[in-house]
Amino acid sequence: MMNLERLRVLDALARHGSVGGAAEALHVTTSAVSQQLAKLEREAGERLLARHGRGVRLTDAGLLLAGHAARILAQAERARAELEARRGSVAGELRVAAFPTAARGLLPGALAALRARHPGLRVRSWEVDPGAAVVGVARGDHDLAVVLDWHDRPLAVPEGLRTASLLDDPAEAALPAGHRLADTAEIDLAELAGEEWITWGAGEFCHEWLLATLRARGVEPDIAHRAPETHTQLALVAAGLGVCVVPALGREPVPAGVVTVPLRPRVSRHVYAVWRGDADRRPAIGAVVGALRAQGARGGGVVPA
């Protein structure tokens, strides 16, 4: 009889391609991964790994068993979901990924409410960029992710994943208080041509959206500073070092010396939860989604019907 947790380690190795990648995904040490794989080889009676340069690769037997492991783990996830649904209990462990402003603006309040209401549920959380978070859910690294679409740039969500709307998050321009447009009621992004821009890290989902949106408005941005954190961006604006687009979620408090102005036309992000369909019946999923929605409403977000 092969141990389920050891099959989980083999599955992680197959998906991530290295012992280090499997260890990071499972939140254990590389030594623990190696030990579990060695025990699995003894249980299977086959050599599952072979040296490949400085790393390892799966043998033919390893690839065969990894394919079965993926199916066994999916079936085990469905069984767990059905048992939890039968009991109606919100308990166990749930691994949640969220992009930074959702991790700051939604998770603390939602997780505190969940702990008070469902003491048998343990939620572990990580800050993860939306694209990577979706991949993590599909791979099984996370049980649920809080991700986003910009109004004109949807995030690709693979088949087999479920989604639930949490809130719509409006974005505004953030300007130094002495800026020539600081007192206007609304700003068209085209009016910010020639400004120095503060944006997210290269390759991040929000950064790519900003570039595409500005260029669609005829603005080729002069990017002066990159910062993944909203509060770092706002500190740079307060110092008079540029302008940025800042969503409402997780941005408070806005520092002195910064003025936020609504955009024309309106710009917003759609924030939603995503999880695997084989976990659809877990009461814990519904409880977390409900807590996130409630926190979004308390924070002033527009929660879709």
Side-chain angles (χ1 to χ4, degrees), residues 70-181:
R71 292 188 288 274
I72 290 167
L73 292 168
Q75 186 61 43
E77 178 69 25
R78 286 191 289 273
R80 179 174 67 165
E82 290 184 13
L83 284 171
E84 288 184 9
R86 179 182 175 85
R87 292 193 302 265
S89 60
V90 179
E93 181 176 281
L94 208 70
R95 300 161 298 169
V96 176
F99 61 93
T101 49
R104 181 170 60 250
L106 288 180
L107 286 190
L111 299 190
L114 284 165
R115 175 173 288 187
R117 185 172 298 176
H118 305 291
L121 177 65
R122 182 190 181 198
V123 180
R124 301 169 63 190
S125 67
W126 293 263
E127 282 191 10
V128 184
D129 194 55
V134 166
V135 171
V137 171
R139 284 179 172 177
D141 301 339
H142 308 295
D143 297 307
L144 180 145
V146 181
V147 298
L148 63 94
D149 292 332
W150 284 96
H151 70 291
D152 55 355
R153 189 180 180 88
L155 182 68
V157 176
E159 289 185 13
L161 301 186
R162 303 284 190 268
T163 64
S165 296
L166 298 177
L167 70 147
D168 288 327
D169 183 27
E172 298 180 332
L175 313 173
H179 193 276
R180 58 188 171 83
L181 297 174

Side-chain angles (χ1 to χ4, degrees), residues 1-293:
M1 182 71 70
M2 283 175 282
N3 180 280
L4 186 65
E5 289 308 309
R6 289 171 196 145
L7 290 177
R8 195 180 305 280
V9 172
L10 179 66
D11 176 65
L13 177 66
R15 288 185 286 106
H16 293 278
S18 69
V19 170
E24 184 177 354
L26 296 170
H27 312 292
V28 298
T29 65
T30 56
S31 175
V33 168
S34 297
Q35 291 173 17
Q36 292 288 358
L37 291 171
K39 291 177 181 178
L40 184 60
E41 284 189 322
R42 291 196 292 272
E43 290 175 348
E46 293 272 3
R47 189 181 180 198
L48 304 177
L49 304 176
R51 282 286 171 192
H52 183 68
R54 295 185 178 180
V56 297
R57 64 172 177 81
L58 292 175
T59 64
D60 289 345
L63 289 169
L64 175 65
L65 186 56
H68 283 290
R71 292 188 288 274
I72 290 167
L73 292 168
Q75 186 61 43
E77 178 69 25
R78 286 191 289 273
R80 179 174 67 165
E82 290 184 13
L83 284 171
E84 288 184 9
R86 179 182 175 85
R87 292 193 302 265
S89 60
V90 179
E93 181 176 281
L94 208 70
R95 300 161 298 169
V96 176
F99 61 93
T101 49
R104 181 170 60 250
L106 288 180
L107 286 190
L111 299 190
L114 284 165
R115 175 173 288 187
R117 185 172 298 176
H118 305 291
L121 177 65
R122 182 190 181 198
V123 180
R124 301 169 63 190
S125 67
W126 293 263
E127 282 191 10
V128 184
D129 194 55
V134 166
V135 171
V137 171
R139 284 179 172 177
D141 301 339
H142 308 295
D143 297 307
L144 180 145
V146 181
V147 298
L148 63 94
D149 292 332
W150 284 96
H151 70 291
D152 55 355
R153 189 180 180 88
L155 182 68
V157 176
E159 289 185 13
L161 301 186
R162 303 284 190 268
T163 64
S165 296
L166 298 177
L167 70 147
D168 288 327
D169 183 27
E172 298 180 332
L175 313 173
H179 193 276
R180 58 188 171 83
L181 297 174
D183 294 329
T184 57
E186 294 180 322
I187 292 177
D188 188 308
L189 285 173
E191 297 178 78
L192 295 174
E195 299 285 346
E196 290 187 311
W197 279 87
I198 301 157
T199 181
W200 295 268
E204 290 188 25
F205 184 68
C206 289
H207 171 77
E208 298 302 319
W209 164 82
L210 180 62
L211 290 187
T213 300
L214 289 172
R215 287 167 179 164
R217 303 296 295 165
V219 177
E220 183 57 39
D222 174 9
I223 297 173
H225 306 282
R226 299 178 188 272
E229 286 290 334
T230 298
H231 287 166
T232 305
Q233 293 183 10
L234 290 174
L236 291 165
V237 174
L241 298 174
V243 302
C244 69
V245 170
V246 58
L249 180 63
R251 80 180 177 200
E252 299 299 334
V254 175
V258 175
V259 173
T260 60
V261 182
L263 293 171
R264 185 185 67 251
R266 183 178 185 270
V267 172
S268 65
R269 309 185 296 185
H270 178 57
V271 180
Y272 57 102
V274 58
W275 65 92
R276 293 182 303 283
D278 55 20
D280 216 16
R281 296 187 63 192
R282 290 186 67 185
I285 295 287
V288 171
V289 169
L292 290 167
R293 275 185 173 153

